[in-house]
Amino acid sequence: MDLRAELLKSIWYAFTALDVEKSGKVSKSQLKVLSHNLYTVLCIPHDPVALEEHFRDDDDGPVSSQGYMPYLNKYILDKVEEGSFVKENFDELCWTLTAKKNYKPDRNGNSVVSHQDAFKLWCLFNFLSEDKYPLVMVPDEVEYLLKKICTAMNVELNSCELDDYLSQEPQGQGGLTVWQFLDMVNSGRFLRGIEQEAISMAVEEVYQEVIEDVLKQGYLWKKGQLRRNWSERWFTLKPSALSYYMSEERKEKKGSITLDKHCCVEVLPDRDGKRCMFCVKTSSRTYEMSASDTRQRQEWTLAIQTAIRLQAEGKKSLHKDLKQKRREQREQREQRKAAKEEETQRLKQLQEEKERKLQELELLKEAQRQAEILLQEEEQRRRQQHEEMQRTLEIQLREAEEARASMQAEMVLKEAEAERQRKRILELEDMQERLQEALQQEVKARQDEESVRYAQARLLAEEEEKLKQLMKLKEEQEEYIIKTQLEKQVLKQEMENKNKCLEEAQKQLEEVRVNRQRVDQDVMAAQRKLRQASTNVKHWNVQMNRLMHPIGPGDKRTNVSGGGFAGYQPLLSQRESSLR
């Protein structure tokens, strides 16, 4: 997310806060005031002429966000230079405008977070929200932010209760707005039983880590370059530099180590009475440092290596990179979910295709059974006709023999009968040829039956091939699920390691707070002594003024007194200047 997108998110809140009627438009006078304030906090030279000319027309009505965007881009955002302004002041301006209208803490003072902590949570929300308007934060990012805050307090977040809360919200599944998120935090549902001071410290720690890109901070011993002595300094590590200060208040900066891809960090053996040593090598100098223990040295070396890796990859922020990776993982999950749904739909279509094929197969089997029944009936009918014809022929032959035996004497008369019989035989031969044609048709029908059976076998083979493909797809899906579970276990192990590192950082923070209280007591004692000394100086000034009061002319001791005070006057002036 670039600087322009970050600024637009905060400006969007300011614009919507000025839209009192929620019509999507803001009056021109309010936009002029907003633009003037943006010029100031972004350290851009004011251009009142361009402002007046842009909003000067005959229409005195309000302006929509689309009408304000050309001016905002041309005269403000295009002139912004990163590093030339304080981002926190810009965010405070936009927060002040939008919080007056939208942020509603508990009137009885029972809010879990203070107004300043609410501002930091608002900044964190803007950083983690999606790049779509209106701005919302998806449930995964809500859980991520709450887990970081709870981890900073050594408290475990109840994910099940968070899921129940999001499921009860009307728009919880699609994401929460910043005001819904702040109401959820102020409700105390997830931070019950925790003091407001602890919550404030946790929010500050997460704010520094995510918004200010502080990878790690704490006390280290540093070896000087000229005197070669060891001094304890408060170090703050960011992706671009390792800065060190006199104390954790970071008011007096002593120096900075610029990090680039050519830098490296190495562990050194114990020497000079120092232990747990390591060094940071740049192109111009080597910086030697000492940690309090081995664990701290390992954490610092890993954090510095992370900063160097970010510089080598051309990345300015660790959490911007992590946010992009989480967004890509969500997109991949959505793609996998869509692919799974598509696969399920395809399997459903294959199942329907299979059922349709089975129905067609059943229809073919039914047609085949009907054809077999018809063939059997036709064959039986033909067999009966053949038997009847054979019986008829046998009867006729018996009658012919009987007639020939009985009527041998009547040969002449029977020749006509013989001629008739020959005609009958020709008819029988014709009938025999028809029988042969019928047999050929039967053979052809059997061949058609064989072709139908071959088509049925081919359909069964295709069905078996599709079943094999379906089983192969199922095996690939199971392998992918196993792989995803392994990756999830690896990520869980990394989260546990980070939680351990944060717990150690919390312990060090407690030690630093104790030291800070002790230093505050010493400062108060010194202030009391200073006030006492100031009282004494005032008293001596009064005494000196009395001694220096001139004597009237009527006094007899004028010359003596004048001579005495004249010699004493330089001493008084010298005493007064020294006291001052």
Side-chain angles (χ1 to χ4, degrees), residues 276-508:
C276 303
M277 294 178 59
F278 64 96
C279 68
V280 177
K281 292 183 178 180
T282 65
S283 58
S284 59
R285 180 183 166 187
T286 299
Y287 297 85
E288 295 183 7
M289 283 160 277
S290 173
S292 58
D293 53 29
T294 306
R295 185 183 185 87
Q296 280 295 312
R297 178 175 66 181
Q298 183 179 5
E299 291 179 0
W300 274 104
T301 53
L302 289 175
I304 296 173
Q305 288 173 355
T306 301
I308 295 173
R309 176 178 59 80
L310 291 174
Q311 290 296 316
E313 294 175 357
K315 298 174 181 177
K316 298 181 179 180
S317 173
L318 174 63
H319 283 276
K320 289 181 180 178
D321 185 33
L322 294 176
K323 177 189 174 183
Q324 184 63 28
K325 289 181 179 179
R326 290 195 302 273
R327 181 174 295 177
E328 291 175 356
Q329 289 176 357
R330 286 197 300 273
E331 292 176 354
Q332 290 175 0
R333 283 202 304 269
E334 293 296 331
Q335 291 175 0
R336 287 196 297 268
K337 184 178 179 181
K340 187 176 180 181
E341 292 178 354
E342 183 179 356
E343 182 68 19
T344 304
Q345 187 67 22
R346 195 166 66 85
L347 289 175
K348 185 177 180 181
Q349 292 177 356
L350 287 174
Q351 185 68 21
E352 293 176 353
E353 183 70 18
K354 179 183 175 183
E355 292 177 356
R356 188 176 62 81
K357 293 288 186 182
L358 289 174
Q359 290 177 359
E360 292 178 356
L361 185 60
E362 291 294 333
L363 292 175
L364 288 174
K365 289 180 179 180
E366 183 66 26
Q368 183 180 2
R369 285 195 298 269
Q370 294 292 336
E372 289 178 353
I373 292 172
L374 291 174
L375 286 174
Q376 290 175 1
E377 291 177 353
E378 184 67 23
E379 184 178 359
Q380 186 176 3
R381 185 175 60 79
R382 289 174 182 174
R383 190 181 295 114
Q384 290 176 357
Q385 290 178 357
H386 183 70
E387 290 176 354
E388 289 177 357
M389 291 176 64
Q390 188 175 3
R391 286 194 297 269
T392 304
L393 288 173
E394 290 177 354
I395 293 171
Q396 290 177 358
L397 286 173
R398 284 195 300 269
E399 289 178 354
E401 288 181 358
E402 292 175 355
R404 188 175 51 181
S406 62
M407 301 174 72
Q408 288 179 355
E410 299 176 356
M411 290 295 295
V412 178
L413 296 175
K414 294 298 182 183
E415 285 178 357
E417 184 67 17
E419 187 67 20
R420 186 175 60 80
Q421 291 296 332
R422 281 196 297 272
K423 291 180 181 180
R424 184 64 176 171
I425 290 171
L426 291 175
E427 290 175 358
L428 290 174
E429 287 176 354
D430 188 22
M431 188 176 294
Q432 187 176 3
E433 289 176 358
R434 288 197 300 271
L435 287 173
Q436 288 178 354
E437 290 177 358
L439 288 174
Q440 290 177 358
Q441 291 178 359
E442 181 180 0
V443 171
K444 185 178 180 181
R446 290 185 179 276
Q447 290 177 353
D448 293 338
E449 179 184 359
E450 290 294 332
S451 63
V452 170
R453 290 181 178 176
Y454 176 76
Q456 180 182 2
R458 181 172 57 80
L459 289 174
L460 290 173
E462 290 178 357
E463 179 183 1
E464 185 177 1
E465 183 65 25
K466 290 183 178 180
L467 285 174
K468 289 181 180 179
Q469 294 178 1
L470 181 61
M471 293 302 293
K472 184 178 179 180
L473 288 174
K474 186 176 180 181
E475 291 175 357
E476 291 177 356
Q477 185 178 6
E478 291 176 354
E479 291 176 358
Y480 188 81
I481 290 172
I482 293 172
K483 183 179 178 182
T484 305
Q485 291 177 352
L486 292 175
E487 292 177 355
K488 183 178 180 182
Q489 291 177 359
V490 172
L491 290 175
K492 184 177 181 182
Q493 184 66 28
E494 292 179 358
M495 287 296 295
E496 291 177 357
N497 294 335
K498 290 183 180 179
N499 289 336
K500 292 180 181 178
C501 294
L502 289 174
E503 290 175 0
E504 185 65 25
Q506 183 69 19
K507 292 180 180 178
Q508 292 182 0

Side-chain angles (χ1 to χ4, degrees), residues 60-78:
D60 295 332
V63 180
S64 64
S65 60
Q66 289 81 8
Y68 183 59
M69 282 302 296
Y71 174 82
L72 182 65
N73 287 321
K74 182 177 179 180
Y75 294 100
I76 298 179
L77 296 181
D78 290 345

